[in-house]
Amino acid sequence: AYEFQNAITDILVVKTLKAARQFRAKSIVVGGGVAANEFVRLRFTDDCSQLGLPVFFPPKNLSIDNGAMIAAAAFWQKNFVDPLILQADPTLYFV
């Protein structure tokens, strides 16, 4: 799990910093569930400080993904669909 975390964090940080350079970002904001990961926070903080690029994180107690919200919305959905007969629609488009 440690090496997996390192690999994912490396990709996340490297690609984010590449995009920041390409688009001349003045700062980076890390949000969602990944922002609660201490290793990710340290890596972003270290790498961004070397570049002189400010990085911001929400408090850990607010660094959550929306999985619980999606699950709650599905629970309260009135049009229940049996997951055993659910069909994926690859042409579905969200605006």
Side-chain angles (χ1 to χ4, degrees), residues 33-94:
V34 72
N37 183 294
E38 190 62 33
F39 187 72
V40 169
R41 286 175 175 252
L42 289 171
R43 203 35 221 287
F44 264 111
T45 301
D46 289 346
D47 288 19
C48 287
S49 70
Q50 290 178 13
L51 298 174
L53 188 63
V55 61
F56 301 96
F57 303 92
K60 283 188 182 180
N61 64 328
L62 298 177
S63 298
I64 57 174
D65 62 27
N66 65 355
M69 186 271 306
I70 297 297
F75 176 79
W76 293 107
Q77 179 62 261
K78 295 189 186 322
N79 299 324
F80 177 78
V81 176
D82 184 349
L84 297 177
I85 62 168
L86 187 63
Q87 297 293 316
D89 182 359
T91 65
L92 190 59
Y93 178 76
F94 293 98

Side-chain angles (χ1 to χ4, degrees), residues 1-12 37-40 43:
Y2 178 78
E3 289 300 325
F4 180 74
Q5 176 179 259
N6 283 342
I8 297 300
T9 301
D10 190 52
I11 291 167
L12 180 65
N37 183 294
E38 190 62 33
F39 187 72
V40 169
R43 203 35 221 287

